[in-house]
Amino acid sequence: MDYVIGVDIGTQSTKAIVLRLDGKIVGQASAGYQVDQPQPMWAEQWPDVWYKAVCQTIAACVRASGVAPEEIRGVCVSSLYGGAGIPVNKEMRPLYPCLIWMDRRAADAVAWVNEHVDTEKLFRITGNSLDSYYGYTKMLWIKQHCPDIWREIHQFLPPNSYVNYLLTGQVAVDHCSAGNIGGVYDIDARRWSDTALDMLGIPRRFMPDRLVDSSAVVGELLPSVAAELGLQPETPVMAGGVDAAVATLAAGVVAPGDHVAMMGTGMCWGYINPEVDAANRLISMPYVINSRRDNYIFGGAGTAGAAVSWFRDTFCQSEVQAAAQSHGVDVHQLLERQALSVGAGSEGILFLPYLMGERSPLWDPFASGAFLGMTLVHTKGHLYRAVLEGIAFALRDNMECGQKGAVRLEPRLIVVGGAARSDLWMQIIADVTGYPVFTLKEEVEAPLGDALLAALGVGLIRDVNIVKTWSTLAERAQPDAMRHAHYDRLFEQYREVYLNLKENMHRLRMLANERSLSDCPS
């Protein structure tokens, strides 16, 4: 019997599964950790946290599976979008934490690019625009603020590429992760762009020479690593890709048309398309299958589950305590019970979920969160529902931008991630977007896509459509016509309120940052 392992390094946890080729999961494990936020709008992680979690989860799921090591034929690791990636020296030692996708510190680098670079040419080459979200602006932040580190840098490695190096001793970057860096990758030629790198002042030597497909074999497990994981030495390790794209694959998206919202710490809504257009204000990168032809186009909100967690931890201590004292009741279930009695629109409350600035389509690192419309009659249930609605509005905002460039979109929306556990949230999303919402019965997400890439890489399967038999789509919510019409009007307010408050948001952010900004620590 043949098995494969899929591993996904997420923003707050790493998950691993052992999968049999008929789609049955025979072992799984997860490990949690935190994002370091030493200053407002900063978000960074040291890669040893990820590597430790990958080793821990692989070893645990192998033990849980009871599968003999020789029957496990391959491993594939995907990861969160690591922004600039991990700057390493010639000894492959990390020189600085990885500035991950949430990090918005590179505003001055964005200003420098706007002033010194032909951005229209840059956008044509890369299919992507300019924002502190993108890895190339984070690279320039290190160049500007950490010159001593900049001089020591040998390469920048995406999180999955760095972990794969520790597993195998081999360096390779998948096309999906390379494209997501933004301004350094030629989206048409599928290679690093010497022209763009020269325009930005980023040395070409920083970008690893070996670019591969997501299902390509990077190398084989080193003997010492294999012993720690409970696997055979020389087990092949595939390149992997960006978690949002791999989760989209896990949901059965193998060709243009289907579209998926991944709602975890942040939100990513994406689809497959042959063309890219930076003018649509979304993010483009090669897809994790057919990566020389197809593109993964997605939009992302900076906070989704993170906004829910912020609200819970900041305002809901009584519910947290009640859940801890109960048996089998989650704190979010208690909050949803309160929100269920509140009608669509939260009786006049609107929430802007820009708690870490905002990614697409606003591309505003200085945007901030807000509740509007509160009165003395409003309760915690109103506020909680408004949070869920605000994130749904952010999803719709990205979907409407995506519709401008998509060849076609299926008349249904697939949602994966932790949010899919909430019946209330799935109904709100259906009512806000106007799309029927489907979820996967199996809560596996990106690791299932990784397992498919592993099986492809070692030749165990050839038809990617098999992934559609590995999970089961379940209809969760149909849009209600009256609520959808009401949300149409509220969505107009959602967009208008941001525009009206934008200048005030920026001024407040500048005041808050005046005494908190600092350069790279010595």
Side-chain angles (χ1 to χ4, degrees):
M1 190 73 70
D2 292 322
Y3 299 83
V4 287
I5 292 177
V7 189
D8 179 59
I9 304 168
T11 305
Q12 294 180 300
S13 67
T14 289
K15 300 174 183 177
I17 62 171
V18 178
L19 185 87
R20 199 168 64 198
L21 292 189
D22 61 359
K24 180 177 176 58
I25 297 171
V26 298
Q28 54 189 322
S30 64
Y33 37 77
Q34 297 297 318
V35 176
D36 296 328
Q37 295 185 274
Q39 295 193 36
M41 308 307 292
W42 288 29
E44 59 189 37
Q45 289 172 308
W46 282 99
D48 61 323
V49 173
W50 297 327
Y51 180 66
K52 179 180 178 181
V54 167
C55 292
Q56 177 182 336
T57 54
I58 290 177
C61 71
V62 169
R63 287 194 301 269
S65 72
V67 173
E70 60 270 18
E71 293 183 295
I72 296 176
R73 300 284 304 282
V75 178
C76 182
V77 181
S78 64
S79 67
L80 74 164
Y81 171 46
I86 301 140
V88 298
N89 62 13
K90 290 183 178 180
E91 290 73 42
M92 304 301 287
R93 179 175 59 83
L95 298 169
Y96 198 71
C98 183
L99 311 187
I100 67 171
W101 61 272
M102 293 175 69
D103 191 282
R104 304 311 293 270
R105 75 183 70 179
D108 52 353
V110 171
W112 182 90
V113 173
N114 268 319
E115 183 178 351
H116 294 92
V117 174
D118 182 346
T119 55
E120 289 188 9
K121 184 176 181 180
L122 189 70
F123 298 169
R124 286 196 304 271
I125 292 171
T126 65
N128 286 295
S129 56
L130 172 63
D131 186 79
S132 58
Y133 159 82
Y134 286 107
Y136 72 99
T137 65
K138 294 175 169 65
M139 292 178 185
L140 294 175
W141 184 92
I142 295 174
K143 181 179 182 179
Q144 293 171 351
H145 295 267
C146 311
D148 291 342
I149 286 175
W150 186 260
R151 284 190 290 271
E152 280 194 66
I153 293 173
H154 172 58
Q155 290 178 330
F156 282 97
L157 297 180
N160 59 314
S161 299
Y162 179 75
V163 168
N164 286 341
Y165 166 76
L166 296 180
L167 295 174
T168 68
Q170 302 296 317
V171 174
V173 177
D174 64 279
H175 286 282
C176 181
S177 298
N180 201 14
I181 295 171
V184 297
Y185 183 85
D186 187 325
I187 193 70
D188 290 330
R190 295 312 208 235
R191 61 173 180 255
W192 304 119
S193 170
D194 291 337
T195 300
L197 288 161
D198 287 344
M199 292 165 64
L200 295 166
I202 298 173
R204 169 63 179 82
R205 61 182 173 81
F206 283 3
M207 317 315 297
D209 288 330
R210 189 179 171 202
L211 287 170
V212 299
D213 294 336
S214 291
S215 59
V217 176
V218 171
E220 299 173 337
L221 285 180
L222 297 169
S224 59
V225 175
E228 180 181 353
L229 303 182
L231 297 175
Q232 289 280 92
E234 303 181 358
T235 300
V237 176
M238 269 46 71
V242 177
D243 57 359
V246 178
T248 298
L249 175 63
V253 175
V254 298
D258 287 337
H259 50 113
V260 173
M262 187 184 81
M263 303 186 70
T265 303
M267 181 276 292
C268 295
W269 170 82
Y271 62 98
I272 312 308
N273 216 48
E275 303 295 333
V276 303
D277 187 352
N280 290 332
R281 303 185 66 77
L282 299 185
I283 302 157
S284 304
M285 69 193 79
Y287 194 37
V288 290
I289 56 170
N290 300 319
S291 63
R292 307 305 175 96
R293 181 194 69 199
D294 289 339
N295 299 295
Y296 176 60
I297 315 294
F298 83 95
T303 60
V308 174
S309 298
W310 164 80
F311 183 82
R312 176 200 66 205
D313 297 341
T314 306
F315 302 111
C316 306
Q317 289 307 304
S318 60
E319 286 80 7
V320 170
Q321 293 174 5
Q325 295 169 2
S326 66
H327 298 285
V329 178
D330 183 78
V331 60
H332 299 100
Q333 292 175 301
L334 297 179
L335 291 169
E336 288 199 8
R337 289 173 188 173
Q338 298 178 44
L340 279 169
S341 62
V342 178
S346 302
E347 296 184 17
I349 295 183
L350 184 67
F351 175 66
L352 302 183
Y354 312 142
L355 301 178
M356 284 293 289
E358 188 52 306
R359 293 192 286 175
S360 60
L362 303 185
W363 295 118
D364 185 353
F366 303 114
S368 55
F371 283 106
L372 291 93
M374 290 189 293
T375 71
L376 290 175
V377 304
H378 290 118
T379 66
K380 195 179 296 182
H382 290 86
L383 296 176
Y384 188 72
R385 183 181 181 109
V387 170
L388 302 184
E389 290 175 337
I391 298 163
F393 286 138
L395 170 60
R396 175 171 170 174
D397 212 4
N398 282 285
M399 291 178 68
E400 292 198 354
C401 288
Q403 288 166 354
K404 299 174 184 177
V407 172
R408 67 183 184 90
L409 292 178
E410 288 290 328
R412 68 180 182 188
L413 171 64
I414 301 171
V415 178
V416 299
R421 302 186 187 100
S422 167
D423 290 336
L424 172 62
W425 207 350
M426 296 304 97
Q427 186 62 58
I428 288 172
I429 288 173
D431 292 337
V432 167
T433 64
Y435 280 81
V437 170
F438 288 72
T439 61
L440 299 179
K441 286 186 177 180
E442 300 83 2
E443 294 184 14
V444 291
E445 304 142 24
L448 185 72
D450 292 310
L452 177 72
L453 294 172
L456 280 171
V458 296
L460 294 175
I461 62 171
R462 300 194 181 278
D463 184 359
V464 295
N465 284 287
I466 194 174
V467 73
K468 297 180 180 180
T469 70
W470 287 358
S471 58
T472 310
L473 278 178
E475 183 179 319
R476 291 288 297 279
Q478 284 286 336
D480 177 86
M482 291 184 64
R483 290 195 294 266
H484 181 58
H486 183 55
Y487 279 129
D488 278 345
R489 296 188 292 272
L490 289 174
F491 182 62
E492 293 177 7
Q493 291 297 306
Y494 171 83
R495 284 176 158 172
E496 186 176 318
V497 162
Y498 163 71
L499 294 174
N500 291 338
L501 293 180
K502 181 178 179 178
E503 185 175 343
N504 298 95
M505 289 176 176
H506 288 202
R507 288 178 179 175
L508 288 169
R509 181 69 66 195
M510 289 175 64
L511 290 171
N513 287 347
E514 277 182 357
R515 302 185 66 180
S516 63
L517 292 176
S518 66
D519 284 352
C520 183
S522 58

